[in-house]
Amino acid sequence: MIDTLRLSAEEAYGLVERGEVSTPELHAAYLAAIAERDGELHAYLRTVDDPGGIPIAFKDLVSTRGVETTAGSRILAGYKPVFDATVATRCRDAGMSLLGKTNMDEFAMGSSTENSGFGPTLNPWDPERVPGGSSGGSAAAVAGGLAPWALGSDTGGSVKQPASLCGIVGLRPTYGTVSRYGIVAFASSLDQIGPMTKTVRDNALLYRAIAGRDPCDSTTVELPEPVQIPEAEDLKGLRVGVPKELNEAEGIEPGVKEAVDRTIELCRELGAEVGETSLPRSVEFGLACYYLVAPAEASSNLARYDGVRYGLRVDGADVREMYEKTRDAGFGDEPKRRIMLGAYALSAGYYDAYYGQAQKVRTVIAREHAATFENFDILVSPTSPTVAFKLGEKSENPLAMYLSDVLTIPSNMAGLPGLSIPCGLSDGLPVGFQLIGPQFSENVLFRAGHALERAIGFDVVPGRLQ
Amino acid sequence: MAITRDEVLHVARLARLELTAEEAERFTEQLSAILEAVAKVSELDLSDVEPTAHPLDLVNVWAEDEPRPSLPVDEALANAPDCQDGFFKVPPA
Amino acid sequence: MTWEPVIGLEIHVHLKTRTKMFCRCEVEYFVAENSRTCPVCLALPGSLPVPNGKAVEWTIKLGLALGCRIADHAVFHRKNYFYPDNPKAYQISQYDQPLCVEGRLVVPGAEGESEVGIVRAHLEEDAAKNVHMGSAQGRIAGASATLVDFNRAGTPLVEIVTGPDLRSADQARRFLQLLRQTVVELGISDAEMEKGSLRFDVNVSVRPSGSDELRTRTELKNLNSFAFAARAIERETERQIGIYESGGEVEQETLHFDPGSDSAPPLRSKEEAQDYRYFPEPDLVPIEPPAELVDRLRDELPELPGARMQRLAAELDHDLAADLVTSGRDALYERVPGDRRAVANVLMNQFAAAGVHTDAVNPDELGKLIEARSRIPRERLIEALAASGEPNFTAETYLADGLVADTSELEPIVDRILEANPGQVESFRGGKEGLLGFFVGQVMREMQGKADPQVVNELLRAKLSA
């Protein structure tokens, strides 16, 4: 009997290698779990029949040849790519096969998956609450035992934050280490595909399968060193920085702060050198910077959804009318807001004050982080200021929703990697611990994450599903 | 108001979004609030800071001028909402 | 009050690379619609651009040929606008950091040389092809649908912008011819207007002669030949002068000519200033041309047509020098021995009419033929020139071949002519030496032109003075 709630990907590979289980049996087990629980959770938008490898779920912005890919939007309903994203090919080459496509905020714009054009996903820990976003479907699938692991995408925190809210492990890689070819674009200079898994070792295994330069993506580079699957269970020699502004930001719930502070203490116990540090402007200006850069790039990336070559088309008397009707019918509110915001930030007369200035703030953020890394190997903080919030709680107020990303955004603006691991519960809901490193420091993050994971002993299976 | 209704209608036009009156109203309010918040970036004097266009210091990435196979025509048109004789078809430009 | 035109040009040249600018689809004309496309040039979701290294190289080469400074740091920008032939709804182009700036092209002319400033040359991609259905001759007005073929989308283009430095329609025409020839000789483009691999727009304004003000200009688009453009420039110049002289103001307008018809008047429009919202392309990294590459390309530059025109103008007049170079006959000119003007004139006139390929000709034999050209009948010269491209052609064959030089053959005819014209013989002997021509003509008529004129001359003189 395969316990999909507990099985890690590493264990699944082991079972298959030893001939104890076949891949079709694995897929069947997950599909059965999906049949049982996904009617409620709605983590998946569709499942497929592809049982040849270790099962994996992809967020629905990963192009999968012949399999509908919507990016959570009605403007792409029915769109079937004629090519695979590079990460999809690399997963297949590493012995995996597709289980299904998971739900997401439309065009990756959101922090709760409530912006999906196809209905929200529910948190397996509490179905009245959100799983986070925009990779909420992938997070819920892994946490809910509906996939051994999954790919999500992270622009402002969309892998780390849902991982935090669902009690699983999520990595946002160094910008440029994972190909974006075939990934429906939101903000080109920020988007990265990230592994979402039950364990840190699984995360390293999946990252190893997908990372590395892709000739189809001019913004990718080779990894300077191979990915190491972590073994050590201590943190000796590691210098851990605690940025004041990230750990004392407005809106951090007391239960979250408590769990994170305990984990920081645990770092000391495991042999790390822990010290306070500061990111004076990165946190204060990070959100404003992100909500100028990302919508600006998005306004341009989403302009191709015009009804000409694919996707939804609403007819008009002339092509301009067709564009306007198609885009008004096809996009939800959040993409519309961000497209308009972005177009405004780039428009004549406003570019310097908005987009231009935001790109300079980015330089400041990068420099501030680089300065702290002269004295510390990693920085730590809560991943999200809150545990999972209730459906509908923030969906009417865009600004309130944006604040969910206040802790994940700053390091993202600098292109830095970040790992979120579950570090405890608050009121029965998972709390995420964020580890941030300099560029190409994934091995350090995995090592630290794994040691903490072993020491914390967090049970990734939601209480109510046990 | 950080952004007026007319300005919202202008960027909507630029972005080829046809807004209903209700949307125009609601979005003007929401965008105004968001713009006020993001305008915070102007508090910093960054006159001697270079903008970051790319997180990595990468230059000169290009490929050899060697052909790769193109899509068969039926795949190119596979998702077309409307086509005719091998062309994509749209209302008059 | 006298007026002078102020003319600037914007030229687009298709680079004849094998593949497109940002993908590796083959660039091919006259193939089935949409048969040279891929996810990138169709702008499918998730597609990413990868620059064509050859196109970058050739743009630098062109910039060097135009005396430009090659930028240390060049950037691609997105130019955002909606149109069915623009699949991404943005064109990847260059904005304020182009590859080549501050060049010049010296245009020779009868009045001497003039220097035309090249403000910039940059690299971008071409749009797809729209076909407007259901209206006369495919014009936009009155169409019922638009059909789009993306084969052309993504072809590399170099855009060259001159300063407002041209002062006459003719000068503009000569500039375009020289630019075209330069581009063709560099081997980077066929630059044929009929094929669409060379396109240009013209900006025209006028001002009082000698002043340096810049008045309102109009833009002329869709001109389909250099000659037509020259006429259009002249008409527009006259129109603007007429307006100023009657106290009016010239309005900024765009004149859209009909490429299918020389006589149709242009459509005038006041195009809304477009807000292209340029921003640096986040999917591409900057270009910093390596010094070794620039040096190698500079060293590989051949002696360009403009330089050759200047050099030859020292031994011929400007127009003849320019014509030789433009017609591609200057290489042959330099190898044919003999009087320079004579060689140049024959090459440009009789040789040109013969339609022989310059590469096929033996320059020494041609030189002999040219030297002897006044001593043989016109028809014989034409025949000889027509044959000058054959292997083993010798001038000798045509100078002697078929011409009767045998005195035993000619003497009876000479005697007969002299007997038949006793009056003229007496007049000649009486001092009218010009009558020799009459006698030569008579003999030639008898011989149907096939007598060696020199021998006939000698025989006549001998007999007439006897």
Side-chain angles (χ1 to χ4, degrees):
Chain A
M1 253 293 283
I2 298 166
D3 181 1
T4 64
L5 281 165
R6 292 219 170 272
L7 193 68
S8 72
E10 193 175 2
E11 285 165 351
Y13 270 104
L15 288 173
V16 169
E17 264 156 45
R18 292 189 302 273
E20 290 173 35
V21 147
S22 71
T23 59
E25 282 171 329
L26 271 177
H27 275 259
Y30 283 99
L31 289 172
I34 290 166
E36 196 187 303
R37 286 196 290 283
D38 202 43
E40 177 196 45
L41 293 178
H42 192 229
Y44 281 90
L45 291 174
R46 71 201 63 84
T47 54
V48 302
D49 179 26
D50 188 6
I54 304 296
I56 184 166
F58 291 161
K59 183 173 182 180
D60 206 25
L61 48 48
V62 177
S63 293
T64 42
R65 191 190 170 91
V67 176
E68 191 177 348
T69 300
T70 65
S73 178
R74 294 202 167 273
I75 214 168
L76 280 177
Y79 168 68
K80 289 193 180 162
V82 295
F83 70 109
D84 276 320
T86 298
V87 296
T89 306
R90 289 188 180 182
C91 284
R92 194 178 24 258
D93 291 346
M96 295 173 243
S97 65
L98 187 62
L99 195 45
K101 310 298 289 298
T102 58
N103 198 15
M104 53 181 286
D105 284 297
E106 191 176 358
F107 288 105
M109 298 175 176
S111 311
S112 68
T113 310
E114 291 172 290
N115 289 336
S116 168
F118 306 101
T121 296
L122 309 181
N123 192 318
W125 288 80
D126 178 348
E128 286 179 18
R129 294 174 184 264
V130 302
S134 60
S135 310
S138 284
V142 175
L146 305 179
W149 53 8
L151 289 182
S153 75
D154 191 295
T155 305
S158 291
V159 159
K160 295 182 286 187
Q161 186 254 23
S164 169
L165 268 52
C166 288
I168 61 166
V169 179
L171 172 75
R172 178 219 162 64
T174 302
Y175 182 88
T177 60
V178 181
S179 172
R180 292 180 297 114
Y181 182 72
I183 307 305
V184 180
F186 160 22
S188 314
S189 73
L190 293 163
D191 293 344
Q192 276 292 278
I193 291 293
M196 303 184 75
T197 60
K198 288 195 171 66
T199 68
V200 175
R201 281 178 61 95
D202 272 3
N203 210 284
L205 283 166
L206 188 45
Y207 181 64
R208 185 171 68 183
I210 61 176
R213 178 160 195 275
D214 179 13
C216 293
D217 179 349
S218 308
T219 61
T220 57
V221 288
E222 284 303 349
L223 301 186
E225 58 180 29
V227 176
Q228 284 153 16
I229 313 304
E231 303 255 339
E233 302 194 358
D234 64 79
L235 297 176
K236 292 205 194 77
L238 194 70
R239 301 168 301 162
V240 175
V242 183
K244 193 163 64 230
E245 298 80 3
L246 280 178
N247 285 277
E248 291 165 21
E250 205 184 301
I252 297 181
E253 287 171 349
V256 168
K257 180 145 179 51
E258 220 184 283
V260 167
D261 285 346
R262 264 202 320 271
T263 311
I264 293 173
E265 191 48 45
L266 183 56
C267 290
R268 282 194 186 92
E269 286 166 30
L270 291 172
E273 237 178 81
V274 179
E276 213 187 58
T277 182
S278 175
L279 293 167
R281 290 175 296 183
S282 301
V283 182
E284 192 186 344
F285 293 92
L287 264 179
C289 176
Y290 175 80
Y291 279 102
L292 280 168
V293 173
E297 295 180 3
S299 72
S300 181
N301 285 329
L302 267 59
R304 66 187 60 192
Y305 302 105
D306 57 11
V308 174
R309 288 145 288 119
Y310 44 79
L312 178 72
R313 176 190 292 195
V314 177
D315 257 302
D318 58 31
V319 82
R320 184 169 174 147
E321 200 178 272
M322 181 195 89
Y323 289 156
E324 289 172 350
K325 288 183 142 66
T326 298
R327 291 161 65 77
D328 190 56
F331 287 134
D333 283 351
E334 190 61 36
K336 282 182 185 158
R337 272 191 291 268
R338 297 200 194 191
I339 287 169
M340 288 189 283
L341 182 57
Y344 188 76
L346 291 172
S347 62
Y350 292 110
Y351 180 102
D352 289 336
Y354 288 118
Y355 184 75
Q357 182 76 349
Q359 291 287 57
K360 292 182 174 195
V361 173
R362 234 177 141 164
T363 306
V364 170
I365 294 175
R367 285 182 191 162
E368 271 191 0
H369 280 77
T372 66
F373 287 123
E374 306 209 337
N375 303 310
F376 296 100
D377 301 310
I378 63 172
L379 306 175
V380 296
S381 76
T383 305
S384 161
T386 69
V387 293
F389 44 91
K390 284 205 191 274
L391 281 143
E393 192 180 308
K394 304 192 191 208
S395 52
E396 298 306 306
N397 186 345
L399 273 175
M401 188 68 84
Y402 295 169
L403 284 167
S404 314
D405 300 330
V406 67
L407 306 177
T408 50
I409 274 175
S411 57
N412 284 19
M413 300 313 296
L416 302 177
L419 184 71
S420 180
I421 62 167
C423 67
L425 295 173
S426 167
D427 284 335
L429 295 165
V431 175
F433 187 72
Q434 177 175 233
L435 301 86
I436 298 163
Q439 288 178 337
F440 309 113
S441 64
E442 279 80 354
N443 283 337
V444 178
L445 298 177
F446 290 138
R447 179 203 158 195
H450 175 73
L452 285 167
E453 176 187 270
R454 303 293 283 156
I456 294 168
F458 182 88
D459 188 352
V460 295
V461 180
R464 59 183 278 277
L465 295 178
Q466 296 199 21
Chain B
M1 274 286 176
I3 188 171
T4 66
R5 189 194 156 91
D6 277 345
E7 286 174 316
V8 169
L9 290 174
H10 175 71
V11 288
R13 256 195 309 274
L14 269 182
R16 297 297 186 270
L17 290 169
E18 185 189 69
L19 300 180
T20 64
E22 184 274 323
E23 281 176 316
E25 192 72 42
R26 182 161 44 92
F27 287 143
T28 301
E29 214 183 290
Q30 290 173 336
L31 287 173
S32 236
I34 297 169
L35 266 169
E36 255 175 64
V38 298
K40 193 172 171 60
V41 293
S42 57
E43 285 175 22
L44 291 172
D45 177 7
L46 302 176
S47 39
D48 51 1
V49 176
E50 283 303 302
T52 296
H54 292 99
L56 293 172
D57 260 323
L58 211 48
V59 295
N60 295 345
V61 177
W62 54 64
E64 295 294 308
D65 186 27
E66 287 299 323
R68 311 270 322 273
S70 292
L71 289 172
V73 179
D74 58 291
E75 283 191 12
L77 296 170
N79 289 285
D82 195 6
C83 55
Q84 181 180 303
D85 302 332
F87 290 89
F88 290 87
K89 187 172 177 184
V90 296
Chain C
M1 162 93 105
T2 54
W3 300 85
E4 64 182 12
V6 176
I7 301 160
L9 296 170
E10 195 181 291
I11 305 109
H12 285 92
V13 172
H14 257 198
L15 294 180
K16 59 177 188 185
T17 52
R18 293 179 66 195
T19 67
K20 295 187 178 183
M21 185 62 223
F22 294 113
C23 68
R24 306 287 82 79
C25 286
E26 267 185 288
V27 176
E28 247 180 294
Y29 300 97
F30 313 123
V31 291
E33 294 72 28
N34 291 304
S35 64
R36 297 295 181 273
T37 69
C38 74
V40 178
C41 54
L42 280 177
L44 300 189
S47 57
L48 294 172
V50 178
N52 183 324
K54 182 116 271 165
V56 173
E57 223 180 87
W58 284 1
T59 304
I60 295 172
K61 193 156 131 171
L62 177 57
L64 290 169
L66 296 177
C68 294
R69 178 169 62 79
I70 305 304
D72 293 323
H73 183 90
V75 170
F76 287 106
H77 272 73
R78 290 190 187 181
K79 179 180 181 182
N80 298 281
Y81 66 94
F82 285 86
Y83 204 56
D85 65 4
N86 190 9
K88 296 186 290 294
Y90 56 87
Q91 178 199 33
I92 301 179
S93 177
Q94 297 196 287
Y95 181 51
D96 57 359
Q97 293 176 274
L99 267 170
C100 315
V101 291
E102 294 164 15
R104 59 199 256 284
L105 189 63
V106 174
V107 183
E111 333 81 53
E113 290 164 356
S114 47
E115 192 176 286
V116 177
I118 305 292
V119 172
R120 52 186 283 151
H122 76 245
L123 189 49
E124 60 184 26
E125 55 176 343
D126 205 358
K129 235 190 207 136
N130 284 343
V131 177
H132 303 288
M133 297 285 299
S135 67
Q137 295 135 25
R139 294 210 82 176
I140 290 178
S144 65
T146 298
L147 300 181
V148 194
D149 173 12
F150 290 92
N151 284 350
R152 192 182 72 181
T155 306
L157 285 182
V158 179
E159 179 178 311
I160 301 154
V161 181
T162 75
D165 301 335
L166 295 153
R167 291 285 163 270
S168 74
D170 188 63
Q171 189 190 23
R173 185 184 52 79
R174 278 180 284 117
F175 172 90
L176 285 166
Q177 274 169 343
L178 183 56
L179 179 66
R180 177 181 181 269
Q181 187 169 1
T182 304
V183 159
V184 170
E185 285 188 15
L186 286 173
I188 64 178
S189 173
D190 292 329
E192 287 179 49
M193 297 210 65
E194 309 76 44
K195 280 232 199 87
S197 49
L198 175 77
R199 311 199 287 261
F200 62 94
D201 299 325
V202 188
N203 289 313
V204 180
S205 66
V206 297
R207 67 185 177 198
S209 300
S211 83
D212 58 10
E213 51 175 304
L214 286 173
R215 297 191 176 194
T216 307
R217 62 181 197 219
T218 59
E219 199 183 353
L220 282 56
K221 293 178 92 95
N222 265 343
L223 302 155
N224 68 354
S225 75
F226 299 163
F228 182 62
R231 286 199 299 280
I233 292 169
E234 274 168 356
R235 279 201 290 268
E236 178 61 12
T237 305
E238 276 158 32
R239 186 188 76 93
Q240 291 192 14
I241 292 171
I243 290 176
Y244 286 123
E245 286 189 335
S246 56
E249 282 301 315
V250 166
E251 285 180 40
Q252 183 168 61
E253 283 177 307
T254 303
L255 280 61
H256 304 268
F257 287 83
D258 180 295
S261 155
D262 265 13
S263 57
L267 292 174
R268 287 169 181 277
S269 73
K270 269 191 235 336
E271 287 179 344
E272 274 176 39
Q274 284 254 40
D275 185 355
Y276 292 116
R277 286 155 282 137
Y278 284 100
F279 68 101
E281 170 58 85
D283 290 328
L284 294 174
V285 299
I287 298 180
E288 295 188 345
E292 318 83 62
L293 173 64
V294 177
D295 289 341
R296 173 173 64 79
L297 292 170
R298 191 183 286 113
D299 290 341
E300 283 173 3
L301 287 178
E303 189 190 18
L304 294 165
R308 299 201 306 278
M309 285 181 195
Q310 286 175 267
R311 187 162 56 73
L312 294 183
E315 60 197 36
L316 302 165
D317 67 62
H318 275 281
D319 281 344
L320 197 45
D323 286 345
L324 269 175
V325 176
T326 346
S327 64
R329 296 191 196 104
D330 60 310
L332 180 55
Y333 162 83
E334 302 215 63
R335 290 158 53 224
V336 172
D339 174 71
R340 296 290 86 207
R341 290 205 67 94
V343 171
N345 274 308
V346 172
L347 281 178
M348 288 310 303
N349 296 295
Q350 301 97 317
F351 179 82
V356 170
H357 202 290
T358 54
D359 285 347
V361 175
N362 178 321
D364 291 316
E365 292 304 314
L366 184 59
K368 287 184 198 156
L369 189 61
I370 291 174
E371 196 277 325
R373 75 193 182 289
S374 58
R375 298 198 296 280
I376 58 176
R378 220 179 115 257
E379 300 77 36
R380 184 119 317 255
L381 176 64
I382 289 170
E383 232 184 282
L385 286 170
S388 61
E390 314 278 313
N392 306 317
F393 165 83
T394 56
E396 197 56 42
T397 323
Y398 290 85
L399 298 184
D401 181 55
L403 286 185
V404 179
D406 185 348
T407 44
S408 61
E409 253 194 79
L410 291 173
E411 216 178 317
I413 296 170
V414 170
D415 288 339
R416 207 168 38 244
I417 298 297
L418 290 179
E419 266 171 52
N421 298 281
Q424 283 85 339
V425 173
E426 214 172 290
S427 297
F428 178 87
R429 285 176 177 152
K432 286 207 161 133
E433 307 231 323
L435 283 170
L436 185 64
F438 164 74
F439 292 123
V440 172
Q442 291 295 297
V443 173
M444 286 307 216
R445 219 180 65 188
E446 278 272 338
M447 293 295 296
Q448 287 166 338
K450 288 204 191 316
D452 187 330
Q454 210 155 331
V455 174
V456 169
N457 251 281
E458 279 163 22
L459 278 171
L460 282 166
R461 277 189 194 279
K463 289 183 188 283
L464 285 166
S465 56

